[in-house]
Amino acid sequence: PSGARLIPDFPVARSSSPGRKGSGKRPAAAAAAAGSASPRSWDEAEAQEEEEAVGDGDADADGEDDPGHWDADAADAAAFGASGGVRPHARALAAEEIRQMLEGKPLADKMRPDTLQDYIGQSRAVGQETLLRSLLETNEIPSLILWGPPGCGKTTLAHIIANNSKKHSIRFVTLSATNAKTNDVRDVIKQAQNEKSFFKRKTILFIDEIHRFNKSQQDTFLPHVECGTITLIGATTENPSFQVNAALLSRCRVIVLEKLPVEAMVTILMRAINSLGIHVLDSSRPTDPLSHSSNSSSEPSVFIEDKAVDTLAYLSDGDARAGLNGLQLAVLARLCSRKMFCKKSGQTYSPSRVLITENDVKEGLQKSHILYDRAGEEHYNCISALHKSMRGSDQSASLYWLARMLEGGEDPLYVARRLVRFASEDIGLADPSALTQAVAAYQGCHFIGMPECEVLLAQCVVYFARAPKSIEVYSAYNNVKACLRNHQGPLPPVPLHLRNAPTRLMKDLGYGKGYKYNPMYSEPVDQEYLPEELRGVDFFKQRRC
Ligand SMILES: Nc1ncnc2c1ncn2[C@@H]1O[C@H](COP(=O)(O)OP(=O)(O)OP(=O)(O)O)[C@@H](O)[C@H]1O
């Protein structure tokens, strides 16, 4: 992926990053910091303020003891020398101010854009030339299904539509299929009918995670979408062709949102970083003059390494919520550990700089559980570990890998599908009811969703770990497939006696001739079922034919 080159693996200490110096290329975060990202803040006035050149310093030359703390004098003397790559952004904010801004509501919610202008990426769905964009601009909102991976901006797009609709006196009601009941939907529809008939007001109903509604719950909307009582906007991470009723789907426009690319993630993160008044250290410009902080308070300023931003953008895997929350955790953890550090060492002196390093953001991501990458390698590693643990009849390990996936946000249906496969591949005829168990677990997960379905999967996983195993059928079937693959020349014809003969002509050609209908015989029937050239082959015994 393009993002891979954004995070070359070089040590934290700037003095040991010749690769970056030499390449002359600036990482995405530094490039964004240098100009393009438009600062946004909770306080618009602050964001408008002219950028000031603030802060200076660098990490400890070895970056080991406590890379997050250093003081201006030490930094000046470090390898970075009297120069550095501090990229100025918004007004210098003190660490304490930043900590207060980060407490409470998740950063991702605070940063949720209100307008399409601030909505990053997704140009295929809502770019300038798209139909949806013109519809949104003229406030002609069709019923929509927003389909895309987590954190790519589905709810945000709905939020932007809601903002716009309110300006045009359109009601916007939000329900989440994770906790709404059918009666809640009925109430919304009833109110929408009243609003429509008495006040001629339209209602847009946004249902988050619409795939969690079962088919009959989805049927509740159908007539009301049809007659225009409500405009439905559903958001789903699941393929709507399987998870949304066909009839409902045909009345909605499906908008496919994509995983945010690394560049878009950098822009989103940089906006948050600017809003917080955190400064980015540009490692590609080691000779920039280090200016002293313009922060008037005695509190330290907060800095982040540009490679930390790039790493965050890359590891967030297109999920802006994960990236922003990872940033929030990294900054908060670093600010809190600064306090602890001072306490522990009994210092009264507070370090004048706080640096967020690449390691801090990696830890932040781990804490927000997103290092479990649902689309990438970790997804396959964990399912493989689960499969092997069940095969090895280790029930504890099986439960562990199951929980690792589910707690990491894995789709329970993905796990359930693997269990169906395992039931036949590894247990097979040693316990044929395993297949029934797996299919039942799949259906149960489909009915009740997470988190309730986790115990269904846990039960099935333990059943499978404890079950006797047989690969007899699986191996025999593989032998048959190998036989077909290795066959030279045209495949042998189906023996005439095994062919059906529904017409006179076929009978005349010998179809079905000599076939012995088994139920007519009380003793075992001597009859060939394989093609002539395979006579005597036993796929259950041999590995290859
Ligand atoms: N395209 C975007 N532009 C700017 N910010 C975005 C964008 N997409 C997501 N974000 C940020 O990420 C946060 C989470 O996004 P959002 O809630 O829209 O994701 P979602 O696709 O609905 O995810 P989920 O399926 O997990 O509910 C938002 O609050 C916002 O701060």
Side-chain angles (χ1 to χ4, degrees):
S2 62
R5 67 188 160 73
L6 293 173
I7 50 164
D9 196 14
F10 56 85
V12 168
R14 191 182 306 273
S15 55
S16 54
S17 55
R20 191 164 284 211
K21 280 185 213 165
S23 74
K25 268 192 185 171
R26 301 171 70 196
S36 56
S38 62
R40 182 181 180 279
S41 111
W42 292 282
D43 182 345
E44 288 298 331
E46 271 181 15
Q48 301 297 321
E49 279 183 24
E50 212 183 308
E51 290 182 348
E52 292 175 345
V54 287
D56 59 2
D58 188 20
D60 305 334
D62 61 15
E64 275 174 5
D65 283 346
D66 183 34
H69 306 137
W70 82 110
D71 63 63
D73 294 336
D76 286 345
F80 211 12
S83 58
V86 178
R87 302 304 310 168
H89 294 292
R91 181 173 75 78
L93 287 191
E96 184 54 25
E97 270 181 278
I98 293 174
R99 198 185 56 75
Q100 282 171 12
M101 285 167 95
L102 284 175
E103 277 184 347
K105 220 174 164 190
L107 181 61
D109 288 350
K110 288 176 182 164
M111 293 306 302
R112 198 188 288 287
D114 295 325
T115 62
L116 270 185
Q117 285 70 38
D118 287 336
Y119 192 68
I120 312 293
Q122 308 298 3
S123 53
R124 248 192 242 171
V126 285
Q128 288 301 341
E129 303 298 312
T130 56
L131 178 67
L132 181 63
R133 181 126 190 163
S134 16
L135 289 174
L136 298 184
E137 280 169 357
T138 51
N139 220 41
E140 291 294 325
I141 317 285
S143 283
L144 300 171
I145 300 290
L146 307 175
W147 173 31
C152 72
K154 301 179 294 297
T155 311
T156 304
L157 188 54
H159 169 80
I160 292 169
I161 296 174
N163 256 356
N164 224 28
S165 325
K166 278 175 198 150
K167 286 187 207 143
H168 296 85
S169 308
I170 300 173
R171 292 175 67 242
F172 195 95
V173 184
T174 300
L175 288 180
S176 170
T178 47
N179 51 25
K181 312 230 162 31
T182 312
N183 277 348
D184 299 325
V185 178
R186 291 212 178 96
D187 287 348
V188 172
I189 289 170
K190 209 166 156 196
Q191 216 179 337
Q193 282 166 331
N194 291 340
E195 291 282 338
K196 192 177 173 207
S197 43
F198 297 126
F199 308 108
K200 304 262 173 289
R201 266 183 98 195
K202 291 188 197 165
T203 298
I204 297 177
L205 171 59
F206 173 61
I207 313 250
D208 203 6
E209 307 203 42
I210 192 164
H211 59 273
R212 293 193 182 227
F213 272 150
N214 61 31
K215 301 275 179 202
S216 73
Q217 284 172 310
Q218 291 181 23
D219 277 342
T220 324
F221 312 121
L222 196 57
H224 308 285
V225 173
E226 180 108 302
C227 72
T229 308
I230 53 164
T231 301
L232 175 73
I233 302 182
T236 178
T237 48
E238 303 294 323
N239 186 337
S241 356
F242 304 124
Q243 308 291 346
V244 178
N245 278 5
L248 189 58
L249 199 57
S250 71
R251 284 159 183 82
C252 297
R253 190 176 287 272
V254 177
I255 304 295
V256 181
L257 299 179
E258 286 155 359
K259 232 185 216 192
L260 289 160
V262 177
E263 291 74 15
M265 284 298 309
V266 168
T267 309
I268 291 171
L269 290 168
M270 285 306 305
R271 239 173 25 179
I273 287 166
N274 280 324
S275 297
L276 291 166
I278 296 174
H279 309 289
V280 179
L281 292 176
D282 181 353
S283 57
S284 70
R285 302 187 56 190
T287 55
D288 273 1
L290 280 176
S291 54
H292 283 277
S293 171
S294 64
N295 178 10
S296 53
S297 90
S298 57
E299 274 288 329
S301 304
V302 179
F303 296 82
I304 186 165
E305 293 178 335
D306 54 8
K307 63 178 173 180
V309 181
D310 291 340
T311 300
L312 192 52
Y314 179 70
L315 289 180
S316 306
D317 193 32
D319 181 339
R321 182 186 305 102
L324 289 167
N325 290 343
L327 174 70
Q328 179 173 21
L329 284 171
V331 177
L332 277 175
R334 175 49 72 194
L335 293 181
C336 292
S337 72
R338 180 180 67 90
K339 282 191 169 170
M340 276 164 55
F341 175 76
C342 292
K343 238 183 180 169
K344 216 165 96 186
S345 60
Q347 286 182 353
T348 46
Y349 170 72
S350 147
S352 62
R353 306 281 183 273
V354 175
L355 175 67
I356 317 296
T357 65
E358 195 180 13
N359 279 342
D360 293 329
V361 301
K362 281 185 179 165
E363 271 173 35
L365 290 176
Q366 234 146 14
K367 280 187 195 142
S368 59
H369 292 274
I370 68 146
L371 274 192
Y372 178 77
D373 167 5
R374 267 171 288 175
E377 211 192 323
E378 197 61 355
H379 164 86
Y380 296 108
N381 291 343
C382 283
I383 197 77
S384 166
L386 170 64
H387 198 131
K388 292 186 169 81
S389 305
M390 292 188 299
R391 181 181 289 154
S393 302
D394 185 332
Q395 53 185 7
S396 290
S398 304
L399 273 187
Y400 172 80
W401 292 116
L402 173 70
R404 264 273 290 263
M405 283 190 281
L406 296 181
E407 294 300 302
E410 183 56 86
D411 175 7
L413 291 180
Y414 170 73
V415 181
R417 279 195 294 274
R418 176 60 75 106
L419 294 180
V420 175
R421 161 83 188 186
F422 184 91
S424 267
E425 181 182 323
D426 285 83
I427 299 175
L429 293 177
D431 178 359
S433 64
L435 187 56
T436 320
Q437 295 282 332
V439 173
Y442 177 90
Q443 285 178 331
C445 291
H446 189 57
F447 293 147
I448 64 178
M450 278 292 276
E452 289 78 6
C453 73
E454 60 191 16
V455 67
L456 274 69
L457 292 173
Q459 176 182 320
C460 193
V461 158
V462 174
Y463 182 100
F464 284 7
R466 291 180 185 177
K469 311 289 185 306
S470 161
I471 58 162
E472 191 191 10
V473 176
Y474 173 65
S475 306
Y477 189 68
N478 279 341
N479 288 339
V480 179
K481 282 199 296 185
C483 172
L484 290 168
R485 256 198 321 271
N486 299 335
H487 185 85
Q488 307 280 330
L491 288 172
V494 177
L496 280 179
H497 68 282
L498 295 183
R499 300 186 191 193
N500 203 14
T503 66
R504 173 101 242 137
L505 173 68
M506 288 160 117
K507 265 195 191 115
D508 291 347
L509 289 172
Y511 282 33
K513 194 169 172 202
Y515 172 63
K516 296 175 192 155
Y517 180 57
N518 306 58
M520 300 279 288
Y521 296 81
S522 49
E523 70 279 10
V525 176
D526 183 18
Q527 182 162 246
E528 286 298 338
Y529 299 96
L530 279 170
E532 179 110 24
E533 64 185 76
L534 292 175
R535 292 268 155 93
V537 170
D538 185 346
F539 293 111
F540 288 82
K541 285 198 180 129
Q542 67 181 67
R543 301 201 64 77
R544 289 264 183 282
C545 78

